[in-house]
């Protein structure tokens, strides 16, 4: 459990969130403009990336205390503060990202050191290759496979909607090496290998993430690429995906909380007065946002305590996304019929929310997970959804 002063951490990051907002529209228009923000030094992305101690000489310090942003609780506080400025940059910045979470679970010491030493270099992106064009993120139905070519193992398949893949230096690929539930492996792959062909996609929201697709045309695999090679088959593969998603769903929920707060703050900054009915509606949104934030923090603590139980993380994501969608669709009406045209930042918030919906499973998936947890007696707070 974290010992970091979370209020102090949130306050420390307010100027960073404001800097992200200043760059948000330029990055939305051209994702390459993210480099301008990175070069400015306003976003300490390496210090916020979640590196283990020992891989950064200058970790983030809050009131003199080093904060490595390794726990889910710390990650949700950071994500919400930065999403108030631009949620897409939180996911699109260089660093360990999702790959780092699965590495922490599955890698041996040699693999972990290989990964973090590489990613600690400034401007190094990573990717998380699970989703496929025909199978989505259903890890049990993957078509990407490890096959033999000229007597050596290679990766063959197609991944799509993968964040940062076109600019990443390395990342993880989920692929099937044999039939059955234990037949999915996770592989640490460098993108400069022959046969690794990645390109960005055009999206309407979350543009800093630069979602892309990658075709794996007999990409060579080495023995040291297999994550969890020191673990039993039941503790690697699909289990790695499940635990990673459970740790990251509260983070996605916190991004939605940050976007919701940004929308409410924006409309109050743009209008000097409201009718009694409008004030009541905004105050109701405030109350629901406060409850959602509390649920997200509770879910993060649950994920830190037991990453195998996804009940509260699922509840947090479903609740936060419901609210973000409702608020971002309601707020433009308070600024007039042309609000999204006249207020491009507000329009960006509306477009970013569907991108958050697709991260770590849609709300339908979350409610199925929550229902399963309820039936198994784990969802003590399911009434919040």
């Amino acid at each position: 459990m974290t010992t970091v002063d979370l209020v102090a951490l949130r306050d420390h990051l307010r100027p960073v969130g404001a800097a992200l907002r200043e760059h948000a529209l330029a990055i939305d228009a051209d994702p390459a403009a993210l480099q301008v923000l990175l070069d400015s030094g306003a976003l300490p992305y390496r210090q916020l990336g979640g590196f283990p101690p020992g891989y950064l000489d200058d970790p983030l310090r809050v009131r003199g205390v080093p904060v490595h942003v390794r726990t889910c609780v710390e990650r949700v506080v950071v994500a919400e503060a930065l999403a108030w400025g631009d949620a897409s940059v939180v996911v699109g910045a260089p660093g360990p990202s999702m790959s780092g979470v699965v590495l922490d679970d599955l890698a041996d010491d040699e693999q972990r050191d290989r990964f973090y030493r590489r990613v600690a270099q400034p401007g190094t992106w990573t990717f998380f290759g699970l989703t496929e064009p025909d199978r989505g993120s259903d890890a049990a139905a993957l078509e990407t496979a490890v096959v033999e070519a000229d007597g050596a193992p290679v990766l063959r398949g197609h991944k799509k909607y993968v964040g940062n893949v076109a600019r990443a230096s390395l990342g993880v690929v989920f692929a099937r090496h044999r039939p059955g539930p234990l037949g999915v492996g996770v592989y640490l792959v460098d993108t400069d290998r022959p046969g690794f062909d990645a390109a960005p996609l055009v999206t309407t929201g979350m543009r800093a993430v630069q979602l892309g697709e990658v075709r794996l045309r007999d990409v060579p695999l080495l023995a040291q690429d297999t994550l969890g090679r020191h673990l039993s088959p039941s503790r690697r593969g699909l289990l790695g995906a499940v635990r990673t998603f459970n740790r990251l769903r509260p983070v996605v929920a916190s991004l939605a909380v940050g976007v919701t707060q940004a929308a409410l703050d924006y409309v109050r900054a743009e209008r000097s007065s409201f009718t009694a009915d409008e004030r009541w509606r905004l105050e109701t949104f405030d109350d629901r946002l406060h409850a959602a934030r509390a649920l997200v923090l509770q879910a993060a603590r649950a994920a830190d305590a037991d990453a195998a139980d996804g009940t509260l993380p699922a509840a947090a994501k479903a609740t936060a996304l419901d609210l973000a969608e409702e608020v971002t669709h309601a707020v433009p009406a308070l600024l007039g019929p042309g609000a999204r045209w006249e207020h491009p930042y507000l329009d960006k918030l509306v477009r970013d929310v569907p991108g958050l919906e697709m991260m770590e499973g849609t709300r339908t998936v979350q409610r199925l997970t929550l229902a399963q947890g309820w039936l198994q007696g784990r969802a003590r707070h399911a009434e919040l959804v």
Side-chain angles (χ1 to χ4, degrees):
M1 194 62 64
T2 184
T3 58
V4 173
D5 184 333
L6 299 180
V7 174
L9 176 60
R10 185 178 291 111
D11 291 343
H12 183 84
L13 294 173
R14 289 186 194 280
V16 183
L20 264 60
R21 183 172 293 199
E22 292 177 2
H23 290 262
L25 292 179
I27 296 171
D28 186 60
D30 178 9
L34 174 60
Q35 192 62 50
V36 176
L37 171 63
L38 300 179
D39 292 342
S40 73
L43 173 62
Y45 64 91
R46 295 172 69 246
Q47 288 82 1
L48 299 175
F51 286 91
Y55 288 93
L56 292 180
D57 295 330
D58 54 344
L60 183 72
R61 290 185 177 273
V62 178
R63 294 183 176 175
V65 177
V67 180
H68 294 281
V69 197
R70 295 282 292 165
T71 69
C72 190
V73 168
E74 292 166 359
R75 286 184 172 116
V76 299
V77 172
V78 169
E80 181 190 341
L82 301 188
W84 182 86
D86 188 347
S88 71
V89 168
V90 182
V91 188
S97 192
M98 292 178 66
S99 294
V101 178
V102 76
L103 258 289
D104 291 340
D105 266 340
L106 298 182
D108 59 29
D109 291 342
E110 179 185 336
Q111 292 167 330
R112 195 172 291 110
D113 187 65
R114 165 189 165 189
F115 175 81
Y116 280 114
R117 283 191 184 278
R118 179 85 171 274
V119 182
Q121 301 303 310
T124 303
W125 277 270
T126 60
F127 73 93
F128 187 89
L130 173 61
T131 305
E132 297 184 351
D134 296 326
R135 299 295 183 179
S137 56
D138 182 0
L142 293 181
E143 294 181 342
T144 299
V146 178
V147 299
E148 291 286 328
D150 298 326
V154 297
L155 279 171
R156 186 179 296 168
H158 184 192
K159 300 292 185 180
K160 198 169 186 179
Y161 310 116
V162 181
N164 302 312
V165 69
R167 56 192 175 191
S169 297
L170 74 168
V172 297
V173 176
F174 287 74
R176 182 167 294 284
H177 57 86
R178 67 181 183 187
L182 299 182
V184 173
V186 190
Y187 304 91
L188 181 59
V189 178
D190 299 289
T191 61
D192 59 358
R193 292 185 184 179
F196 193 100
D197 183 12
L201 300 168
V202 177
T203 61
T204 58
M206 296 293 290
R207 288 175 173 165
V209 181
Q210 272 205 345
L211 285 178
E213 64 179 325
V214 56
R215 298 184 185 276
L216 304 162
R217 298 184 172 96
D218 292 358
V219 177
L221 279 181
L222 307 175
Q224 58 266 33
D225 296 334
T226 302
L227 298 183
R229 57 184 175 172
H230 60 302
L231 303 173
S232 66
S234 63
R235 294 180 58 199
R236 57 182 187 249
L238 291 181
L239 178 62
V242 170
R243 293 172 64 88
T244 297
F245 288 154
N246 290 342
R247 285 195 176 102
L248 290 174
R249 279 168 181 152
V251 179
V252 178
S254 69
L255 295 175
V257 169
V259 169
T260 303
Q261 186 70 70
L264 293 173
D265 289 347
Y266 189 90
V267 72
R268 286 184 166 116
E270 294 296 321
R271 274 189 61 174
S272 58
S273 62
F274 297 92
T275 66
D277 182 67
E278 289 170 341
R279 282 197 306 274
W280 173 84
R281 193 175 188 192
L282 290 173
E283 289 168 1
T284 300
F285 283 147
D286 288 338
D287 291 342
R288 291 174 58 192
L289 180 59
H290 180 75
R293 182 179 289 114
L295 177 58
V296 169
L297 187 58
Q298 185 178 8
R301 289 178 173 136
D304 282 332
D306 181 10
D309 183 1
T311 307
L312 278 177
K317 189 192 171 186
T319 300
L321 263 292
D322 279 346
L323 182 59
E325 184 177 74
E326 187 174 347
V327 167
T328 54
H329 281 84
V331 161
L334 299 176
L335 296 178
R340 290 182 61 179
W341 180 264
E342 296 169 358
H343 301 271
Y345 179 74
L346 184 58
D347 177 66
K348 171 181 159 47
L349 296 180
V350 177
R351 289 185 284 107
D352 281 351
V353 169
L356 298 176
E357 164 79 358
M358 302 307 295
M359 292 181 185
E360 321 331 327
T362 65
R363 277 170 284 178
T364 299
V365 172
Q366 309 312 322
R367 291 189 170 98
L368 288 172
T369 301
L370 182 56
Q372 184 179 41
W374 175 265
L375 292 173
Q376 295 175 355
R378 297 197 304 265
R380 293 178 297 165
H381 302 279
E383 66 274 9
L384 291 174
V385 178

